[in-house]
Amino acid sequence: MASVKLSSCVHHSVRKPGSVPGSSNTCFLKTPPVHLRQKFTALSVVREESNTSILHQEEAQSRLSFDFMSYMIGKATSVNQALDSAVSLREPVKIHEAMRYSLLAGGKRVRPVLCIAACELVGGEESVALPAACAVEMIHTMSLIHDDLPCMDNDDLRRGKPTNHKVFGEDVAVLAGDALLSFAFEHLASTTGVAPARVVRAIGELAKAVGSEGLVAGQIVDISSEGMDSNDVGLELLEFIHVHKTAVLLEAATVLGAIVGGGSDEEIEKLRKFARCIGLMFQVVDDILDVTKSSEELGKTAGKDLVADKLTYPKLMGLEKSKEFAERLMRDAQEQLQGFDSKKVEPLLALANYIATRQN
């Protein structure tokens, strides 16, 4: 197993958009070495030791009383209703059936809830954030449909159901993903009721996140890295893949919420850093679950990364170091939320904890 050094997502290398580790357009911030001496037995938002707690005691106590499940259910219900209304069953029926099959198949709705929570944190309302939240979820669903295709990950199971191409065929699945991608921008542009300048900024943010310097960049580097010897691959390359492939949509969801909610540039950038941390943490946890849970527990095929010989954090760092890295990312994420209203920040703190401790 390669020797690796854990890095902070806030202090990690800063690259020009689309640059790949090792290229000439990569620049680096001075990063102090990370020494993790404590063995973490679980991922937790609230640390008991007062000398290592990032949040003030009153904030931690407040979060303990926050009803996270009710919040998630309420927001997810709003998102599901909005998605159902936006992508109604209409002509041509076949393509809309395929779009709705994957879009309304359930899921945790983490990205749209992040969008709404960020909007509310900076003073906006749920109704203002819903178009952006739905747009992000449409694009996320597109990425899942395409990711499951035989030419990509070749997966038969998603959210406990047969994947889109298994039900509708590969041709229709490709078109369903394409339709969701284009409609996401139409929906965001035509139904977001805020100042035009903020709508345009949100559209630009989302387009950059999904394009050749965002999600697609992570995907192509991931494909190119399959079968590579872990001894020849650094943590920097793996981080590039997952910052672009996974974290980028969680980041976009959060930033869009802050933009349409009327957040200041400073607030938007703090929330961007928060989302980047939890986005990378999402992938670290996903990699851990892939090797520790069954297909039935995950609702998707377990162990597929191992079979495909893909780069993962457990493969590169080992299971325990991967858990330590996730804990580090949690602390970095918490730091970015300091200074916000202690009550309004509760949903984002709880969402970060949910991502860290999820079991599927």
Side-chain angles (χ1 to χ4, degrees):
M1 181 169 56
S3 175
V4 296
K5 181 167 66 176
L6 303 183
S7 66
S8 160
C9 79
V10 175
H11 304 292
H12 61 41
S13 57
V14 178
R15 308 180 186 93
K16 295 179 182 179
S19 63
V20 178
S23 64
S24 60
N25 57 353
T26 303
C27 59
F28 297 92
L29 296 177
K30 185 177 181 182
T31 306
V34 178
H35 300 289
L36 294 171
R37 297 186 177 89
Q38 180 177 0
K39 181 177 180 181
F40 300 102
T41 58
L43 298 174
S44 170
V45 173
V46 183
R47 298 173 61 85
E48 293 180 356
E49 301 88 339
S50 60
N51 64 327
T52 56
S53 177
I54 293 173
L55 301 172
H56 296 297
Q57 283 188 339
E58 61 268 21
E59 291 176 336
Q61 183 59 42
S62 176
R63 277 196 298 114
L64 290 173
S65 62
F66 177 67
D67 190 347
F68 174 64
M69 290 309 299
S70 292
Y71 179 87
M72 283 293 289
I73 291 171
K75 297 303 184 187
T77 298
S78 296
V79 170
N80 289 334
Q81 290 173 347
L83 290 171
D84 184 35
S85 176
V87 186
S88 60
L89 189 59
R90 54 188 185 270
E91 294 291 343
V93 173
K94 187 75 169 182
I95 191 64
H96 289 98
E97 281 181 340
M99 292 165 69
R100 287 171 58 86
Y101 175 81
S102 294
L103 187 64
L104 303 178
K108 296 174 280 290
R109 305 302 192 205
V110 170
R111 291 157 193 82
V113 175
L114 273 171
C115 183
I116 295 169
C119 178
E120 292 177 333
L121 177 60
V122 298
E125 297 182 356
E126 177 187 295
S127 59
V128 170
L130 271 174
C134 289
V136 172
E137 191 67 4
M138 290 174 197
I139 290 177
H140 173 55
T141 302
M142 173 278 296
S143 73
L144 299 181
I145 293 173
H146 286 179
D147 209 37
D148 290 335
L149 288 167
C151 62
M152 301 292 280
D153 280 358
N154 193 23
D155 217 327
D156 297 340
L157 192 67
R158 174 70 67 178
R159 292 172 174 169
K161 299 172 64 177
T163 47
N164 197 289
H165 68 275
K166 286 293 180 181
V167 177
F168 296 95
E170 294 177 36
D171 49 358
V172 175
V174 170
L175 293 173
D178 293 346
L180 284 168
L181 174 61
S182 60
F183 186 65
F185 289 99
E186 178 186 341
H187 187 68
L188 178 60
S190 62
T191 62
T192 305
V194 299
R198 288 193 176 269
V199 177
V200 171
R201 184 176 179 182
I203 291 171
E205 186 77 34
L206 187 56
K208 183 178 180 180
V210 75
S212 62
E213 296 182 347
L215 188 152
V216 173
Q219 187 77 318
I220 193 65
V221 176
D222 186 30
I223 291 171
S224 301
S225 68
E226 289 183 16
M228 293 177 65
D229 191 329
S230 59
N231 291 311
D232 298 328
V233 178
L235 182 61
E236 188 184 355
L237 178 62
L238 185 59
E239 183 174 316
F240 176 90
I241 292 170
H242 293 310
V243 163
H244 290 76
K245 184 180 175 182
T246 302
V248 69
L249 275 186
L250 284 98
E251 180 181 326
T254 307
V255 170
L256 260 63
I259 290 172
V260 300
S264 66
D265 287 346
E266 181 182 0
E267 290 173 328
I268 291 169
E269 289 312 305
K270 289 185 73 173
L271 287 169
R272 182 189 300 280
K273 292 176 182 177
F274 161 80
R276 189 169 298 172
C277 288
I278 65 169
L280 189 54
M281 180 175 65
F282 188 99
Q283 185 60 51
V284 176
V285 172
D286 211 51
D287 286 354
I288 292 170
L289 293 175
D290 190 64
V291 297
T292 59
K293 297 293 181 179
S294 67
S295 297
E296 290 74 21
E297 290 172 309
L298 294 178
K300 59 182 180 180
T301 306
K304 64 178 182 179
D305 291 340
L306 183 64
V307 172
D309 200 22
K310 283 195 171 187
L311 290 178
T312 66
Y313 283 96
K315 179 180 178 180
L316 193 59
M317 302 170 67
L319 190 58
E320 290 306 312
K321 284 292 184 181
S322 296
K323 292 178 180 179
E324 291 175 359
F325 187 34
E327 178 72 19
R328 173 62 184 262
L329 292 168
M330 170 65 84
R331 297 200 304 273
D332 287 344
Q334 290 172 335
E335 286 179 350
Q336 297 307 312
L337 296 181
Q338 290 187 16
F340 286 104
D341 182 273
S342 60
K343 291 296 293 182
K344 288 185 177 181
V345 84
E346 288 177 338
L348 288 178
L349 290 169
L351 268 165
N353 187 43
Y354 171 74
I355 289 171
T357 60
R358 66 192 177 94
Q359 298 299 307
N360 57 39

